[in-house]
Every structure is written in C-alpha cells, then in structure tokens.
Amino acid sequence: QVQLVESGGGSVESGGSLRLSCAASGYTYRRYNWAWFRQAPGKEREGVAAIDRDGRTNYADSVKGRFTISQDNAKNTLYLQMRSLKPEDTAMYYCATGSSIPRSLLPWYESWGQGTQVTVSS
C-alpha cells in the first residue's frame, strides 16, 4: 500500500514561487513513475508534470519553463518547484504514482495524495 502526503501549498501573488513536496511511504520508491496533477473548481484534473524512474521529465505546455519536477530518492520525496506563478495556476495540486506509462500526464495512476491548495492572486 502506498501513502502519499503533499505539502507546500499556499497563497502567493502573481509572479511568485512555491515548492510543493510529496512524501511517499509504504513501498519501494524507485519502482514507479510519478506525476503532479491539478484541478481547479469546475474543471477536469490535468497533468502538470511527470518524471520516470530514470529522471526523464514531461511537462504540460502551460507550465513549461516555469515548473520543475524532481525527486529525492533518499528522502522518498517528489517535488514541484513552481516559478512565475499566474492566477490560472490556482488549483488543488495532487501527486500520483503507479502509472505503467512513463512520464504520462494522463490520470491513469494507481495512488494519489489528498492534495494541497495553491492560490495565486493577481
């Protein structure tokens, strides 16, 4: 059983930065692919960034050049560094793991965290 706990969300002004963390427990960390998703009220969940077991990454066009996904295997933690934040980045952010497709931005992941809220004001 995999447990995922996100943290690091908050409220920032447009142009600001945040770093989200996702602490994982309950399994062998490097066995799975990882991703960050977000969901705004009234909208579908969308993939933001993904990373495979070899450290290769994939990003949604809307965040390329602004967001960076990374992993610390020693700490069993996934990160999402977000810079130049915009009001349209406002959403609940979720980490996920367990997809059979490396670097997938589709929500076909087995395990999900509870989410952390990011709010960007203009």
Side-chain angles (χ1 to χ4, degrees):
Q1 185 72 14
V2 176
Q3 294 84 42
L4 305 175
V5 180
E6 301 96 335
S7 61
S11 296
V12 296
E13 293 184 350
S14 182
S17 299
L18 283 173
R19 189 178 78 157
L20 306 184
S21 300
C22 173
S25 61
Y27 71 110
T28 302
Y29 180 75
R30 284 183 62 84
R31 292 179 57 193
Y32 297 92
N33 298 298
W34 293 81
W36 286 97
F37 287 78
R38 66 186 181 187
Q39 188 167 20
K43 295 187 177 181
E44 293 186 354
R45 188 168 297 190
E46 65 169 335
V48 173
I51 189 168
D52 67 16
R53 65 192 69 187
D54 297 318
R56 292 171 295 190
T57 58
N58 184 27
Y59 296 93
D61 288 343
S62 59
V63 306
K64 279 181 181 176
R66 301 188 298 122
F67 290 11
T68 303
I69 187 172
S70 62
Q71 55 192 18
D72 185 331
N73 293 334
K75 296 182 178 180
N76 284 353
T77 302
L78 180 74
Y79 301 101
L80 184 68
Q81 178 67 53
M82 305 185 294
R83 297 182 176 89
S84 302
L85 283 162
K86 305 175 181 179
E88 51 263 44
D89 294 319
T90 296
M92 185 72 78
Y93 283 71
Y94 302 88
C95 65
T97 189
S99 171
S100 61
I101 305 172
R103 305 181 302 282
S104 174
L105 295 180
L106 297 174
W108 299 337
Y109 285 76
E110 295 178 352
S111 301
W112 295 81
Q114 82 291 347
T116 185
Q117 177 68 39
V118 172
T119 303
V120 185
S121 59
S122 58

